[in-house]
Amino acid sequence: MNYLAHIYLSNEDDFIKIGNFMADAIKGNKYDSYPVGIQIGIKLHRFIDSYTDSHEIYRKSKHRLHENFGHYSGVIMDIVYDHFLAKNWQLFSNIALEKYADDFYNLLQSNYDILAPKTQNQLPYMIKTNWLVCYKSLEGLELILFQMDYRTKNRVNMQAAMHEVKKFYAEIEQEFLTFFTALQQQSKLELNKLKNDFHYNT
């Protein structure tokens, strides 16, 4: 899963959202100096990634891209699944996606000093392009894939995956909806476990 899903699956705790969002910038156990909520968010992020990568439905979706994109098929499908979350946002939240995104950008800005350096550097561009809302359309999805391809030195021409996405669009969307229901349930259980382990009450 990509940014939008990770933020959403953190529920309403601000620090858990921040930790889940920036977890990829924190390697190994280098999170001990962060507030407990952020530590929980980082651990939840890693659980979500592990659960997603091993799930048969996600693997079925990703397999459609593997022949042409190899290792990067997972990177691409994470973004595609976020597209379907944004597209179907009204099924998961009563808050408009645009407001949800603005609130999260404001949260990051108001906690800028505790963000990882990589996240601090990324934030202005993310806000400028309104990345979380950009996913919602196919044009925005293609733009995000183009940007990701640039960040990975144009190794596999990620935006070319739009051909497969459009070809199998309905199938991948249904796979996402089925998978995300299971992911929500498992993430909630894991989040409750982490809060208990850390004696974290909000």
Side-chain angles (χ1 to χ4, degrees):
M1 304 307 295
N2 213 48
Y3 292 132
L4 183 60
H6 279 291
I7 298 162
Y8 174 79
L9 292 169
S10 302
N11 291 335
E12 299 306 316
D13 186 281
D14 287 347
F15 273 7
I16 294 176
K17 283 183 180 180
I18 293 172
N20 202 340
F21 168 72
M22 71 175 187
D24 284 336
I26 313 295
K27 303 304 180 184
N29 62 355
K30 295 180 180 179
Y31 52 76
D32 292 343
S33 61
Y34 286 99
V36 171
I38 289 181
Q39 294 185 45
I40 291 173
I42 293 168
K43 285 181 169 287
L44 178 62
H45 180 108
R46 293 175 180 178
F47 168 82
I48 291 168
D49 281 356
S50 177
Y51 180 86
T52 299
D53 289 344
S54 63
H55 200 283
E56 62 180 355
I57 294 177
Y58 174 82
R59 291 169 71 89
K60 181 179 179 181
S61 296
K62 184 177 72 168
H63 183 71
R64 294 190 176 95
L65 304 178
H66 193 268
E67 181 177 352
N68 291 328
F69 301 96
H71 165 74
Y72 290 96
S73 59
V75 176
I76 296 167
M77 193 51 63
D78 285 349
I79 297 169
V80 172
Y81 267 30
D82 251 23
H83 159 71
F84 285 118
L85 175 57
K87 179 191 173 190
N88 294 284
W89 184 254
Q90 73 281 357
L91 298 178
F92 303 102
S93 177
N94 293 322
I95 302 171
L97 179 58
E98 291 75 11
K99 182 180 185 328
Y100 187 88
D102 284 343
D103 288 347
F104 184 69
Y105 300 146
N106 289 334
L107 173 65
L108 294 179
Q109 289 176 312
S110 62
N111 290 277
Y112 183 84
D113 290 344
I114 63 173
L115 301 179
K118 182 179 178 180
T119 307
Q120 290 177 339
N121 292 336
Q122 181 183 18
L123 183 57
Y125 185 75
M126 182 181 186
I127 294 173
K128 180 180 178 181
T129 58
N130 199 0
W131 202 333
L132 298 179
V133 176
C134 187
Y135 288 114
K136 192 173 182 178
S137 68
L138 283 173
E139 294 79 12
L141 173 60
E142 187 168 8
L143 175 62
I144 296 295
L145 290 174
F146 175 81
Q147 292 167 345
M148 286 296 295
D149 198 54
Y150 177 79
R151 287 171 57 187
T152 56
K153 305 186 189 309
N154 307 105
R155 290 191 180 101
V156 294
N157 189 21
M158 287 191 197
Q159 63 269 29
M162 291 299 297
H163 173 75
E164 284 86 351
V165 171
K166 291 176 180 177
K167 181 178 179 180
F168 298 107
Y169 193 82
E171 293 92 330
I172 298 173
E173 182 170 24
Q174 188 55 57
E175 287 161 9
F176 162 77
L177 291 170
T178 303
F179 165 75
F180 199 68
T181 299
L183 178 60
Q184 282 181 280
Q185 295 170 347
Q186 294 303 314
S187 295
K188 183 176 181 180
L189 291 172
E190 182 67 13
L191 181 54
N192 288 336
K193 177 181 179 297
L194 288 168
K195 285 183 175 180
N196 288 333
D197 290 346
F198 279 87
H199 307 290
Y200 184 76
N201 297 309
T202 57

